[in-house]
Amino acid sequence: MKYIDPHIHMVSRTTDDYARMAQAGCVAVTEPAFWAGFDRSSAQGFYDYFRQLTDYEPRRAAQFGIRHFCWICINPKEAEDPAFAREVIKFIPEFLGKPNVLGVGEVGLNKNTRNELAILEEQIALAVEHEQLILVHTPHLEDKLKGTRLTMDALEAAGAQPGRVLIDHVEEHTVGEVLGRGYWAGMTLYPDSKCTPQRAVDIIEQFGSERLWINSAGDWGVSDPLSVPKCHVEMLRRGHPRELVEKISYENPRAFLSQSPKFSLD
Amino acid sequence: MNDTPCPMPRPDVIDTYFQEHRAKLIDIAAFLDRVDRSSGGVDDDVRVRALHKAIPLLIDGRGDRARRILELLSDPTTDPVDQAPAKGAIGVDPNGSY
Ligand SMILES: [Zn+2]
């Protein structure tokens, strides 16, 4: 079954993973800019990372018939030093014009600090000014509920349209409020922590399939680039129709992402 | 919330998932035993206290257990903090009165 994985960090994955994803039906990925597991020592480190996302990675994906799109930003884990973050923000507009860049992301909060929030607000303003879609990372564990609310407040204060913002890594305690405030919501599937495929399907059963998608967020940590098709199997074995699987995993991401004129599956 | 029922009949839900969750329950029991058998550090780690507080929610007869446990384990404050002690999260509210 064809699908889109709208949040996966392919720079951390092998070429074999592209091959296996293509075999499982993946036709497109979108890759947000994120933390590499260590702090970059200079803004130039980000510049090269953005070149990798906008130039090299689409070519690697194309070998397997997968369309590669990305999102550009400075991630919240490296936003604690505002002066450093602003050096990076300065050259983000140059990359927003690249053909595979869909918007600003994954921006958000990590530990809900004032510095993180200031840099988030500056990047939301940049996205609004450049009419970009926004992909939001929400904090993990005990920080998620508070961070999700602070982020939505910041988006609303900046006049971002909720329908052009996807708030990712929702769980049972945040999904209702995210959808209720008009945003799109992403569920991230992890093999052994946070949201499992089973819980993602539970959430779909409880909250419906409007403005909701699933992704693997595969990266350098314990993660599974095939967790999206594994979730399809979970939906089908519970007796959900194929149309619902296609809606969650293909039609919904296509609808949200198509708000960027650069997104195309042709 | 639209609350579509799970389309899988209840006997099949139990057949499909019981073994997996039985194993997870025993994992929790064995973890608590392991904590008891170990020594050093603080006697009442906030994470273990939070776990003790969360477990009764499983059997209080009310629904939305996953949401309510996640809320119990969340930082309930609303203002941004000046500084974080570390990049990572520990899984429970470090200042929680568990
Ligand atoms: Zn990510």
Side-chain angles (χ1 to χ4, degrees), chain A residues 35 39 77-78 80 110-117 140-146 149-150 171-173 196 198-199 202 204-209 234-235 237-240, chain B residues 1-9 16-17 20-21 24 64 66-67 70-71 73-94:
Chain A
W35 188 54
D39 291 355
K77 286 200 179 76
E78 286 171 283
E80 199 42 50
N110 176 49
K111 291 301 295 178
N112 303 324
T113 68
R114 289 186 198 285
N115 284 342
E116 290 169 9
L117 186 59
H140 298 296
L141 305 178
E142 71 269 22
D143 301 312
K144 183 180 296 296
L145 183 60
K146 173 179 174 178
R149 287 178 175 155
L150 284 171
E171 291 185 78
E172 289 86 344
H173 57 328
T196 58
Q198 287 91 331
R199 281 173 54 205
D202 293 334
I204 294 165
E205 289 168 359
Q206 293 173 84
F207 290 89
S209 57
E234 174 67 19
M235 289 179 78
R237 86 165 167 174
R238 283 203 199 172
H240 289 292
Chain B
M1 213 145 127
N2 81 342
D3 243 337
T4 320
C6 177
M8 188 185 261
T16 303
Y17 301 106
E20 178 189 344
H21 297 290
K24 288 181 177 174
D64 277 337
R67 176 182 60 76
L70 283 163
E71 284 171 357
L73 302 179
S74 295
D75 175 1
T77 64
T78 53
D79 288 332
V81 294
D82 289 329
Q83 224 169 9
K87 271 196 210 298
I90 64 167
V92 306
D93 173 20

Side-chain angles (χ1 to χ4, degrees), chain A residues 116-193:
Chain A
E116 290 169 9
L117 186 59
I119 294 304
L120 169 63
E121 287 166 347
E122 288 173 35
Q123 295 191 94
I124 293 170
L126 187 76
V128 170
E129 181 193 335
H130 291 264
E131 295 178 4
Q132 298 291 307
L133 297 176
I134 301 175
L135 184 72
V136 171
H137 163 93
T138 52
H140 298 296
L141 305 178
E142 71 269 22
D143 301 312
K144 183 180 296 296
L145 183 60
K146 173 179 174 178
T148 302
R149 287 178 175 155
L150 284 171
T151 301
M152 291 190 287
D153 292 346
L155 285 159
E156 282 150 31
Q161 292 174 41
R164 291 174 58 81
V165 179
L166 184 293
I167 298 193
D168 219 331
H169 319 318
V170 299
E171 291 185 78
E172 289 86 344
H173 57 328
T174 56
V175 61
E177 198 168 326
V178 167
L179 293 173
R181 287 167 79 158
Y183 298 95
W184 286 72
M187 293 185 286
T188 299
L189 309 164
Y190 293 92
D192 63 3
S193 66

